[in-house]
Amino acid sequence: MSKEELDARSMKALMTIASAWYDQMKAGDIPSISLPTRTKYNIEYDDASEVWKYGDKESLRTAATAKSATHLLKMAYVIGFVKQQLIENRSSTLREMYYISEGWKRAKFGAQDESNFLVEDLEIISDVPREGFHLRPEENGASIYGPMRIREPTRRGLKMIHCQDDVGSAGYSIPNNVENLELVDHDAKFVIAMETGGMYDRLIENGFDEEHNAILLHLKGQPARSTRRLLNRISQTWNLPILVFTDGDPWSYRIYASVAYGAIKSAHMSELLATPKAQFLGLQPSDIRDYNLPSDKLSDKDVEALNAELTDPRFATDYWKKQINLQLELGLKSEQQAFAARGLDFVTKKYLPARLSEMGVI
Amino acid sequence: MSKEELDARSMKALMTIASAWYDQMKAGDIPSISLPTRTKYNIEYDDASEVWKYGDKESLRTAATAKSATHLLKMAYVIGFVKQQLIENRSSTLREMYYISEGWKRAKFGAQDESNFLVEDLEIISDVPREGFHLRPEENGASIYGPMRIREPTRRGLKMIHCQDDVGSAGYSIPNNVENLELVDHDAKFVIAMETGGMYDRLIENGFDEEHNAILLHLKGQPARSTRRLLNRISQTWNLPILVFTDGDPWSYRIYASVAYGAIKSAHMSELLATPKAQFLGLQPSDIRDYNLPSDKLSDKDVEALNAELTDPRFATDYWKKQINLQLELGLKSEQQAFAARGLDFVTKKYLPARLSEMGVI
Amino acid sequence: MVLAEELAKQQRSISVAEFFEKNKHLLGFDSPTRGVITTIKEAVDNALDACEEAQVLPDIYISIKKTGPEIFRIIVEDNGPGIVPAQVPFVFGKLLYGSRFHQIRQTRGQQGIGISAAVLYAQLTSGLPTVVISRTGVKEQAHKFGIQIKIETNEPDVISEQPFEWDRIHGTRVQIEFKSTMSAKKKLLEYLRYTSIVNPHARFRVELDDEAFTFERVSQEVIACPVAIQPHPHGIEFGQLKRMAAASDEKLIDFLVNGFSRVGKKTAQEMCDRAGLKVTAKVAGLSADELKNLLAAMQAVAVPAPPTSQCLSPIGEDLIRRGLDKEFQMDFVAARTRPSSVYSGHPFVVEAAIGYGGRLEAEGNATILRFANRVPLMYQQGACAITECIANVNWKSYNISQQGLPLGPVLILVHVASTNVPFTSESKDAIADIPEIEKEIVLALQDLGRELKTFLSRRDRNKLAEDRARAVCAVIPEIAAKVSEIVEKPVVDTTPIEGRLMRKLIAKKWTRDGKVTIEANNYTASDVEISVYDISADNAADADMPPAFSTEMDGQFTKVWKMAIPKQTVWRVTYTGKGGGMLDIRGIEDNKKMVVDLDV
Amino acid sequence: MVLAEELAKQQRSISVAEFFEKNKHLLGFDSPTRGVITTIKEAVDNALDACEEAQVLPDIYISIKKTGPEIFRIIVEDNGPGIVPAQVPFVFGKLLYGSRFHQIRQTRGQQGIGISAAVLYAQLTSGLPTVVISRTGVKEQAHKFGIQIKIETNEPDVISEQPFEWDRIHGTRVQIEFKSTMSAKKKLLEYLRYTSIVNPHARFRVELDDEAFTFERVSQEVIACPVAIQPHPHGIEFGQLKRMAAASDEKLIDFLVNGFSRVGKKTAQEMCDRAGLKVTAKVAGLSADELKNLLAAMQAVAVPAPPTSQCLSPIGEDLIRRGLDKEFQMDFVAARTRPSSVYSGHPFVVEAAIGYGGRLEAEGNATILRFANRVPLMYQQGACAITECIANVNWKSYNISQQGLPLGPVLILVHVASTNVPFTSESKDAIADIPEIEKEIVLALQDLGRELKTFLSRRDRNKLAEDRARAVCAVIPEIAAKVSEIVEKPVVDTTPIEGRLMRKLIAKKWTRDGKVTIEANNYTASDVEISVYDISADNAADADMPPAFSTEMDGQFTKVWKMAIPKQTVWRVTYTGKGGGMLDIRGIEDNKKMVVDLDV
């Protein structure tokens, strides 16, 4: 969708919301708005798009309590602000909007979280991603390294960049808006998205990208929107296998889940942000056992998180049930760099080749 | 210094330590080692290099307590490990070494912190930076954007990169070892190093780099070694003014201090890592007052940190005493993006030009 | 063996006076400070008991004056029946002498020790005899005595006795002088205040050196004097039965019916049958074993509880509430008089009250008022079963914070009335932990706790609902303003929404284009009849609905409209003017109305 | 007025027996369970007091047997001086009758109430008379009585009296039967154990139904019987002085010198001068005002504290320690007897002890043992000044955790001995909060607390130092191994470093190339003389230093070397063999040696 189209769609959606409130109040009714319930119990698998989306459960937010009324007031101010940005063709970060809200008196945000949540609400109601509101994420994109070429429009014109030849050893920095990024061509067999920089550097130092024609991507923890969107686009455009390689603990599985299925809090954007074909490479609980990796005991919070995952529809597969139950049984977790305990080459020479061929990727 | 020279120097320094211990034990003495005291009370200004370094205060670590004995044992294991890396010409991250220590029984590290601290000790004793031990930092370098050109040796050969024309909109990713980076040329008047990505993006979006011929650098919070080393090199090589632009709170002043004077924990590397000519741009406590910025109350921890800074020799200037006392008086702190409360262009059109001209930079 | 003989020579009898002289703390005379309170307490107890017996409304005068270094003169005077001259020396000059010890009924004083102990204390510390004046009626002469106690024998020592001219027609005045301090003045006044709460029929006038206080009565009703009852068959021990039997010349059945509470012929018959004894047997002739069987039978047969209505005199829920109301103005007060109950054959009644808010301290431990037979307990709060019971109730479940004792603006009163209050010691400061009594106290407190909880949650709920609606009403107009701006339409009027939220009568006044409009929206759930008071410089001569009346003073016109407004409807009036001034609505509760001047 | 007359008719005297019958809780008879302990306590108190007076080592027999449903027969028999037949009825059948009430000295029983109260309780519950047998000497006939109390008059009622054949040559046996339960058996044994701790000269034999216990004496010394003293001039009240003066026929100076403790002629003269009275004045003739002046003078003049060495009988620090040691085996015990002191003219001594560790419970509140005049206090711990004092000491500063009371394996004993122990009630369960006594208790406890702290920190320090050295010794060889590997040289031997760290004698044995070496390094701070025991299959025939002796059994050779090793030197022996077996060092404390078999 072109920028102009997206802008028009955004404006229309926002005005619809405001008009509905105006009409409610005009009729002497307390203004209200419907939102899908945003919990893991209200996400459903969409067969068509192969992603998890919010289901039918909605909650009605009526300005009949001070909290809800204030929420609606803030929403009105955000709508007013975005309308202004669209008219003036400006953009800003959420943090900047948070500071701009200083002037909104009662509608001022109490904390950054609140403005984030509110923008998500607006995305859901309007079915327009925040990029359409000209709101930039604060988060930086991650890094990518491998045999692929992209074309990026910048303030200084279109740039064609090859992600091995045209970049430093730290790779190409993914910008925070990848909608306009063009995926030109590639010479890769698969993509490995890694949780930690140490593993990303290890694979680059050991020449894994050249040896296996692999695109390496550093997720930098819980991946930013632009990172997830880029993976989604690589998968859709080039149809390459996407493999997620994280630490072996419940929080890392959530990183995988957010790549593959979308985060619960952005389930409304799943079609754009999720990569349903992404596969979990490791570190698997069975690896801890099979390779006897250095490990830590699961904390109470870990166990709680694992149990929560057992009831999470996104993990409702035999593979995950088996792995999670095994982990609970072992009572252990490991980091991906724990492979170093078996030598610095172990991960590139032994573990990854074995695991990738087991997965049918090489 | 060439790689070979550095390797030889490292090996010699480590063997000297081990031999000293051997001789002590042979004589029936409890092994021990001297270390400079690593607190802010033992850093001194070195007039020659214009940086803060550890002073004369030393503490003797004798293996007469279980804690010290174990510390020496671990140090012995690290020396053994580094010796092996030097012989085999391998490198690894600290995290990897931490996992490799799994096999060291009693000398196994209890936590990552411990191995970091120990490597710092070794740097101090041997006067060799950790890069000489073939130990890679875990931390990623930050991003840089602006009219400058560098030449970087990578696995795929030497790359020449212009940090505006040859990079995406997110800029050039600084690698985690910049010793071998060549600073080719530039067309800049000054460098602004920023704490937050939001401000970095704001300046790029508003075209500040073009308008003022500025190099923009995103510190990503407390700057990594390679980022500080790069600033040090830019300052030394090109003699450009380096301006540090952070949030207005005690923790951010420490970011400035670590850029300008070096961190206390790496005072032994100050000559390589500190940029004594770096100036603090803002956000100054007086800005909070003068621009009436949105602010938060200082927490107890903030006040404690500010008071600690008042006794920190690195902040012992009239400027800092005035600013810190003013802040304690105001009882407030602000983030740099708080300028957004006065409009999205305020920082680039009003604040920075005014401040830079006040500082004599433009 | 010589030793035993020698030891024998040292053996001798100890007089009760000697015993208590050595054990002053048992009687509450262990410090000069306490002595004052104990003495006044004993004298007031006797005065109240006497007035009760005489069925007069007590009018008690108390005076404390310093007469020398550390020496204080205490006077307590009552309008009771007086004491016949022959008895005066014994009542005041002999420990363990009194009229109430052998009676089974609720009295304040009981053991015949209290006031004589004060006399003893005076004689030990100041050496001065106690002066007693008493007159038993208008036709009788008043007598004045100087009395001490012969300690070795516990017999009265009458120092002087003479007729006396007294303006009281009946009553007693006792004047005791001993070593003391007035450091417990606050405690003393507290004692009198508390006494007045549980004796709402009494008036106390107090003179403390230069200050005078009066605690007025709130009830004009003389309280019934408890009547003595016979012992209850379930509360009697073998020794007592044996003594009663030995002293009786009755037949067994008559002995049982006449000698015990609640035993009728049928019950007595059943007891005899069960004991295997003839109803006609002479009781005095029964052997020890037969008496044992009889006792077992008496305790096995079901007998109703003792008749408490006669022998006990609880204060009653209404009078407790009024008494507390007089001394503490509180937001909530509830009282409970429990049904009477029995421990070890002694009937008792527990009364309790809980107060909340008002002038009570908002912080710290609850105020605890303990009473036994209408007498406040002033010491040893920590050792008292009442305190223990209060601490054992889970106040948190009644929304009262608690740390051992309940905390906050809470007052707890507990009154235990019994024919025999079980004190932990003879100084009568604390009630012993008798399970039967504790159970009743806890039940009363729990019952009151539930009532308090209901009050608190209703109060909180009302307040909360209103606060909530008010908070919403503050936001709605802002939403309206912003939304109208976004959709670029005129600002929408949100008053209907506000009134709806508040469920109130909303009166508004605004001025636009030289026209003043007053509007009253009845959003409440019922029809209302109200008056609108509008005071301003406008005369409202052209009002579209003329005011019921209009008056002028100094250029200010007071216009009053009266009307009924059905629920969910609006009343409106418009007139030419500049607005301003003041608007008020009468005829509806404050919390059901909102008055808004939109021009301000 | 008729009413006063009517009321007068009801007035009557109350006998002490009636009073206590109604107030059983004042005497410790408020429950059947308590009755047993109270009775045994009173009887044992009397027995111990009597033995003390007779200067015999007490040998007391106690028996409790169930004789009917809820009825128990209690027997207490002593080897005291016995009671002459004429006195027996009064001692047991009259409340407030005794030999010790009027004496100023430390005794267990005092008021003459205790045992008679038990007799009263028996008569009320079982109806059975108390049986007393007493014999005053070998030449005298024993007598046996059946005794009850006439309650209305508090006079003895002798049911039976007859001569009795008794094998004891002197002593008293009392047998009381009343309604009770044995649910307090544990408490009873506790009472006896505690009694035995503070009466280390007494033996108790106990039969409880089928079980028998003996608490043996740890001291064979008869304790001195406290001697009565005269009242102290600072502890006398006006009333008492007046009575003493009235009963005296002496001149003032003699009256003062003879009638009071610690008053000599000079002091008496000073008192008279200060009071403005002639030394020769007849005391009986002094007026009330003169007596007041005299009293003021007596209290103004400095007089030494009462002579406690005679009238008080503290247990003593040594005997307290031994008594505690017998019953609780603890790691630490310290006792303190404070100097005697005075409150209200009554002399008293506080003794305290603290024990730690051993068989004490590691968790929960400290064990608290309270005593008054060598009698354990078993009830009302919470209301006792001793408990309050313990809670008020800041135990945390002595490294003892505390939550109100101190926690952990701590025992605290406090004994208050006085001519007049101030109890909170006549049941004598708790000591009243007299500031003078509290101060002494706190001082004693603080003193002991400091001693305990010293013990604890020394213990902790020793343990810590050794643990630390041991931990270092575990690491040093690993450092040596790694460093040697890095520098590529032979592994350096670290034993000298280890021994140095441990400051011990280090014995090592190792086998290399068919040679066994035993080495003893004396790293201690002093020279040692030791024996080395080496048991193995080697005969050490070729040892370079032959063993002092060598024996063989079943193929195992025991070789013993004896030698002196100066400090900081090494002894070594080598012989051909295969090693193994066992090595031991004798002649040096366990914590000063380390034995290492390097082959294992």
Side-chain angles (χ1 to χ4, degrees), chain C residues 1 3-5 7-8 10-14 16 18-19 21-26 53-54 81-82 84 87 91 94 96-99 101-103 111 113 123-127 136-137 140 148 151-152 237-240 242-243 292 420 423-426, chain D residues 1 3-5 7-8 10-14 16 18-19 21-26 53-54 81-82 84 87 91 94 96-99 101-103 111 113 123-127 136-137 140 148 151-152 237-240 242-243 292 420 423-426:
Chain C
M1 197 187 193
L3 185 60
E5 306 273 350
L7 290 175
Q10 300 172 2
Q11 299 277 13
R12 38 164 293 205
S13 180
I14 301 149
V16 166
E18 288 178 311
F19 174 76
E21 178 191 3
K22 202 159 177 181
N23 292 280
K24 285 190 277 289
H25 56 282
L26 293 182
E53 282 161 354
V84 294
Q87 287 292 341
V91 169
K94 184 172 169 67
L96 288 179
Y97 186 89
S99 59
F101 183 83
H102 295 90
Q103 299 180 353
Q111 324 268 31
I113 294 185
Q123 140 183 17
L124 288 174
T125 58
S126 74
T136 58
E140 310 294 328
Q148 290 197 337
I151 292 181
E152 297 83 348
E237 280 178 332
F238 180 73
Q240 197 184 350
K242 206 167 146 197
R243 255 184 299 138
K292 275 187 196 171
N420 184 10
F423 290 108
T424 57
S425 79
E426 188 44 30
Chain D
M1 198 185 192
L3 186 60
E5 306 272 351
L7 291 175
Q10 299 171 2
Q11 299 277 14
R12 39 166 292 206
S13 181
I14 301 148
V16 167
E18 288 178 312
F19 175 75
E21 178 190 4
K22 203 161 178 181
N23 292 280
K24 285 189 278 287
H25 57 281
L26 293 182
E53 282 161 354
V84 295
Q87 287 292 340
V91 170
K94 183 172 170 68
L96 288 179
Y97 186 89
S99 59
F101 183 84
H102 295 90
Q103 300 179 354
Q111 324 267 32
I113 294 186
Q123 146 183 13
L124 289 174
T125 57
S126 75
T136 57
E140 309 295 328
Q148 289 197 338
I151 291 180
E152 296 83 349
E237 280 178 330
F238 180 72
Q240 198 183 350
K242 206 167 148 197
R243 253 183 300 140
K292 275 188 197 172
N420 185 10
F423 291 108
T424 57
S425 80
E426 189 43 31

Side-chain angles (χ1 to χ4, degrees), chain C residues 84-94 119 123 128-133 143-151 153-163, chain D residues 242:
Chain C
V84 294
Q87 287 292 341
V88 170
F90 293 98
V91 169
F92 293 92
K94 184 172 169 67
V119 172
Q123 140 183 17
L128 291 171
T130 294
V131 177
V132 179
I133 300 169
H143 283 253
K144 179 175 179 179
F145 294 82
I147 296 174
Q148 290 197 337
I149 300 176
K150 291 181 199 145
I151 292 181
T153 57
N154 184 31
E155 288 300 332
D157 183 2
V158 179
I159 309 291
S160 64
E161 178 183 351
Q162 67 224 58
Chain D
K242 206 167 148 197

Side-chain angles (χ1 to χ4, degrees), chain D residues 448-466:
Chain D
L448 291 166
R450 280 187 291 273
E451 249 183 72
L452 175 57
K453 184 185 181 180
T454 308
F455 163 79
L456 288 177
S457 27
R458 195 172 46 232
R459 191 195 61 168
D460 293 349
R461 220 165 33 237
N462 287 343
K463 195 169 170 310
L464 203 65
E466 196 182 311

Side-chain angles (χ1 to χ4, degrees), chain D residues 33-54:
Chain D
T33 321
R34 264 196 86 167
V36 184
I37 294 190
T38 304
T39 302
I40 290 191
K41 187 169 175 294
E42 295 294 346
V44 168
D45 285 355
N46 288 347
L48 288 169
D49 274 341
C51 289
E52 214 160 282
E53 282 161 354

Side-chain angles (χ1 to χ4, degrees), chain A residues 117-271:
Chain A
F117 211 76
L118 212 142
V119 166
E120 281 160 23
D121 279 352
L122 275 186
E123 287 182 321
I124 295 169
I125 303 162
S126 65
D127 198 22
V128 171
R130 67 186 62 179
E131 286 80 3
F133 303 150
H134 293 203
L135 289 173
R136 262 199 320 258
E138 182 75 20
E139 324 140 327
N140 258 64
S143 303
I144 199 161
Y145 193 89
M148 61 179 273
R149 203 140 46 142
I150 53 98
R151 190 180 289 120
E152 182 186 354
T154 74
R155 283 178 58 87
R156 301 175 75 90
L158 270 182
K159 306 278 177 202
M160 175 80 86
I161 296 170
H162 186 277
C163 296
Q164 277 169 330
D165 296 338
D166 301 337
V167 297
S169 51
Y172 168 72
S173 279
I174 303 171
N176 53 35
N177 184 347
V178 295
E179 293 303 318
N180 308 320
L181 206 67
E182 188 186 340
L183 299 179
V184 182
D185 55 23
H186 73 93
D187 184 26
K189 290 211 187 109
F190 55 91
V191 179
I192 299 186
M194 274 152 289
E195 180 176 359
T196 64
M199 188 52 74
Y200 176 70
D201 290 341
R202 167 64 49 218
L203 264 60
I204 293 176
E205 182 179 302
N206 288 9
F208 190 84
D209 53 319
E210 295 192 339
E211 194 173 333
H212 292 279
N213 287 336
I215 295 172
L216 306 178
L217 187 142
H218 178 196
L219 291 166
K220 300 202 177 166
Q222 192 68 37
R225 280 170 77 94
S226 60
T227 309
R228 287 186 285 141
R229 177 69 176 135
L230 183 63
L231 282 169
N232 166 296
R233 293 193 56 207
I234 291 176
S235 170
Q236 296 223 346
T237 313
W238 291 335
N239 201 26
L240 284 177
I242 310 282
L243 305 159
V244 179
F245 187 16
T246 67
D247 289 342
D249 65 46
W251 318 100
S252 298
Y253 308 153
R254 290 187 184 178
I255 291 177
Y256 161 70
S258 81
V259 169
Y261 311 124
I264 290 174
K265 67 173 199 160
S266 60
H268 56 291
M269 295 282 117
S270 286
E271 263 170 284

